[in-house]
Amino acid sequence: MPLIDTARLTEELLAAPPTTSATVTASASASASATTSTTVTAPATASATRAASRSATGTAIATAHDFRPGAAPPLPGDPVHALRRRTAQRHWAPEPLDGDVLVQALGYAFEQDERLWRPAFPTLPAPSATVLVQRLLGVPDGCHRYAPGARRLEPEPHVVLPPLADLVLQLEFGDAPALVVVHGDLATAAERHGAGGHRLLLARGAALAHATWLAALSLGAAGSVFAGVLGAAGRTHLGIDGSGRAQLIGLALGSPHRVRSAPAPADRTGER
């Protein structure tokens, strides 16, 4: 079976001419022999999404810029740039990362979580994000929590962090300007959803981390989703107890590492 060239498919998608609309059809079976379909049309251009669109029956529906459950928010930066650079990077430039980039990326991810996950699973506890900072412009080093309502990082001065390299298994993640630790209330999730609550909480946390990563890429940053901090280190320094505060996943972010290309080898074709 031939391998799929995802890079080529991405470039073909980006080079494709824009369409005027995207149609989503939802079908509900009325009986074994009859179905009922409802068609919703969403404009594809940025200017059109700001205008009110209507369904086939003439009923007004909200646009992507309004709060509508089930509609993901637009990326804060350049989505084409994000798609072309969508690779995990584990090495960072020495300069610090712009703190506004991280805050915007987290804001996008939590807004997406609010739109997509909360309406679908209203009783599932929302994940939280703790940010460990060592090279972030405008943000002091140390432990911070992201406040979704205020859309900002709030310091946790009572938490004294060791070097980030002491918190992770792979040392390259410990060199990242910022580590995002996504955690959630596993005890409440299991109480409300049974054994499947753990799976749902892990999926919701992973979606939050990947949305943050994709938004950061669109803003010019680089990063990689990874397992998170070590268990013992998380318990000692971050209060990760595996129950009310259970680690779900981690994300390392920084500025892209500039790799210098090696000089071309000398032409030896004329040598004897």
Side-chain angles (χ1 to χ4, degrees):
M1 182 176 182
L3 295 177
I4 298 175
D5 188 347
T6 56
R8 180 181 61 81
L9 291 177
T10 299
E11 290 300 320
E12 290 179 354
L13 175 64
L14 296 175
T19 57
T20 56
S21 64
T23 302
V24 179
T25 303
S27 300
S29 176
S31 64
S33 60
T35 60
T36 302
S37 300
T38 302
T39 302
V40 178
T41 301
T45 62
S47 58
T49 54
R50 288 191 288 268
S53 60
R54 296 183 178 274
S55 66
T57 60
T59 304
I61 61 175
T63 65
H65 288 273
D66 299 324
F67 181 86
R68 179 165 65 89
L75 280 169
D78 184 352
V80 173
H81 182 69
L83 283 173
R84 285 180 170 150
R85 298 180 61 252
R86 191 176 53 177
T87 58
Q89 296 189 33
R90 304 188 304 276
H91 302 283
W92 330 97
E95 62 265 17
L97 175 67
D98 187 349
D100 289 339
V101 169
L102 178 56
V103 171
Q104 286 187 62
L106 285 167
Y108 168 82
F110 274 92
E111 183 179 353
Q112 177 170 287
D113 177 85
E114 185 73 18
R115 292 190 184 194
L116 301 182
W117 280 88
R118 187 178 295 278
F121 299 95
T123 60
L124 184 68
S128 302
T130 295
V131 182
L132 313 181
V133 174
Q134 62 181 0
R135 293 194 313 279
L136 206 58
L137 283 176
V139 180
D141 292 356
C143 183
H144 304 259
R145 72 176 185 91
Y146 179 75
R151 290 205 168 205
R152 67 185 182 193
L153 294 174
E154 297 183 348
E156 295 190 345
H158 62 282
V159 178
V160 179
L161 290 178
L164 297 192
D166 294 346
L167 301 178
V168 295
L169 179 62
Q170 294 174 257
L171 296 181
E172 60 266 29
F173 293 132
D175 190 43
L179 296 181
V180 180
V181 179
V182 181
H183 49 88
D185 189 345
L186 177 57
T188 300
E191 178 183 350
R192 295 175 180 176
H193 296 269
H198 190 196
R199 175 183 56 83
L200 288 173
L201 193 61
L202 285 171
R204 188 169 181 177
L208 182 76
H210 278 81
T212 305
W213 173 67
L214 190 61
L217 289 183
S218 75
L219 293 167
S224 177
V225 175
F226 70 112
V229 299
L230 295 169
R235 287 192 301 271
T236 302
H237 301 287
L238 304 178
I240 302 293
D241 58 11
S243 179
R245 190 180 173 96
Q247 180 173 226
L248 305 176
I249 201 167
L251 171 66
L253 288 175
S255 299
H257 178 61
R258 305 288 190 262
V259 179
R260 293 183 179 179
S261 58
D267 185 5
R268 299 178 179 271
T269 56
E271 290 185 358
R272 294 182 182 270

